[in-house]
Amino acid sequence: MQNFSNPGVPTPSSNDTRSNHSQEAKNGISIIIPAYNERDRIKKSLDSYIPVIESFNLPYEIIVVIDGNDGTEDVIKNYKNLDYFKSSVRLGKGGAVKKGLLMAQYRYVGFVDADGSLAPEDFKKLLQQIQDNSCVISSRYVNGSKWINKEPFFKRFASRGFNLFVNLVLNLKVKDTQCGAKFFKFDIIKKIIPQIEVTNWTFDVAILYHIKRMGYNIKEIPVKWSHDLGTKFNYTVSIIPMFLTVIAIKLMNSRIKDYVPELLFKIVSKFKVY
């Protein structure tokens, strides 16, 4: 049986001088931001989130994993406590987040989208909640959540259909697997990351699936969410690969995994869409 393909070992940027990770976490906060051609949006996110992080009075690091060639590094290189990794091959969102998580060194670890759709006050709420939970995730569909401007109807329909499918197949009992902010305890995420080779948008699902399988809690936090019209996620292109990847995750971790045709995993391994 073939696992999902590894996104490879890209050439690091000049700023990426650390070894992949130490097994012992230091007290502090690690934030990963996957950036696929985010030159025009990432500054807004950094300027919103950095004051929130600094309000905790803990050491912190921000790791931006650049998966494009639009000069994002020129925008971010002068921020303090920020490292970036620029890939020489396409990683996909999941591959970019995984690289950042492997580089993380602090006790509280999370990733957030580069578009700034998560309000700073909700970002702070997630950081507060992770101190007492194994995993906390932002959610647009639990009581107390609020949309500032909604996604187009088709995207909302596809999103809810995908979430229903995920819960039916993987029994996650999570109302929003795809909202773009998730936080973990260091020791938990370091156990899970080596098991995950998904490189597309279903990466979030794979993490939550393994967290639940290992008996850890997942807490959904209601957030105020603003849909960014400049989002690069294309449901038309991505939704079928995402559905197939969920099936592959289930089969790969089932009793019949040794009997699953390798073709399924070869197909899924090529999905590196944002």
Side-chain angles (χ1 to χ4, degrees):
M1 183 194 72
Q2 179 173 323
N3 283 340
F4 298 110
S5 69
N6 191 296
V9 185
T11 303
S13 74
S14 58
N15 278 24
D16 181 30
T17 56
R18 292 178 299 180
S19 59
N20 254 0
H21 63 80
S22 135
Q23 290 299 322
E24 188 128 359
K26 300 181 243 181
N27 191 32
I29 300 167
S30 296
I31 302 295
I32 290 89
I33 302 179
Y36 175 57
N37 293 336
E38 294 290 356
R39 179 186 177 92
D40 296 332
R41 301 195 296 180
I42 196 166
K43 185 178 187 303
K44 170 192 168 186
S45 299
L46 291 171
D47 291 345
S48 295
Y49 298 146
I50 287 175
V52 175
I53 301 169
E54 291 181 339
S55 71
F56 284 84
N57 294 315
L58 289 172
Y60 74 89
E61 63 180 352
I62 298 171
I63 303 167
V64 179
V65 182
I66 301 172
D67 198 17
N69 294 293
D70 69 337
T72 298
E73 63 271 26
D74 295 330
V75 176
I76 65 174
K77 62 185 179 183
N78 293 322
Y79 281 89
K80 69 175 184 177
N81 296 342
L82 187 149
D83 280 344
Y84 69 86
F85 176 94
K86 186 171 182 181
S87 175
S88 61
V89 297
R90 183 70 183 276
L91 296 176
K93 183 198 172 184
V97 174
K98 179 175 179 176
K99 177 62 185 176
L101 291 173
L102 287 170
M103 292 171 64
Q105 60 181 325
Y106 288 123
R107 182 172 299 159
Y108 307 113
V109 186
F111 62 88
V112 64
D113 289 343
D115 61 9
S117 293
L118 182 70
E121 58 267 29
D122 291 325
F123 182 77
K124 184 172 186 176
K125 192 160 49 173
L126 290 165
L127 279 171
Q128 290 169 332
Q129 291 288 332
I130 191 55
Q131 296 177 60
D132 298 315
N133 292 279
S134 302
C135 168
V136 295
I137 65 175
S138 56
S139 178
R140 299 160 292 184
Y141 299 107
V142 293
N143 290 337
S145 62
K146 182 180 179 181
W147 284 89
I148 304 303
N149 53 294
K150 290 189 175 182
E151 294 175 314
F153 173 78
F154 173 74
K155 288 189 174 182
R156 291 203 312 275
F157 179 79
S159 175
R160 301 321 296 144
F162 178 73
N163 195 79
L164 176 63
F165 180 74
V166 166
N167 282 301
L168 286 173
V169 173
L170 301 180
N171 193 33
L172 286 185
K173 298 178 181 176
V174 170
K175 291 186 178 180
D176 192 354
T177 60
Q178 300 309 115
C179 195
K182 294 176 174 64
F183 289 82
F184 319 91
K185 293 283 179 53
F186 175 96
D187 57 339
I188 294 171
I189 199 63
K190 294 300 183 176
K191 291 176 187 174
I192 289 169
I193 282 299
Q195 304 177 50
I196 299 175
E197 300 294 348
V198 177
T199 59
N200 60 28
W201 273 77
T202 319
F203 179 84
D204 302 56
V205 173
I207 284 185
L208 298 178
Y209 176 71
H210 285 289
I211 285 175
K212 182 157 187 180
R213 282 187 82 208
M214 295 174 72
Y216 297 113
N217 76 304
I218 300 171
K219 183 169 183 176
E220 290 190 81
I221 307 296
V223 296
K224 183 167 58 176
W225 193 263
S226 177
H227 173 63
D228 189 326
L229 297 176
T231 180
K232 298 176 177 63
F233 181 64
N234 187 328
Y235 272 94
T236 305
V237 172
S238 304
I239 198 69
I240 291 177
M242 288 172 68
F243 273 85
L244 289 174
T245 306
V246 171
I247 294 171
I249 290 169
K250 179 67 174 179
L251 293 175
M252 183 176 158
N253 294 280
S254 71
R255 294 178 182 178
I256 64 168
K257 62 183 180 181
D258 293 332
Y259 303 97
V260 178
E262 288 189 12
L263 178 62
L264 174 63
F265 300 101
K266 287 180 180 178
I267 293 172
V268 169
S269 72
K270 297 184 184 299
F271 299 153
K272 295 185 178 180
V273 293
Y274 260 74

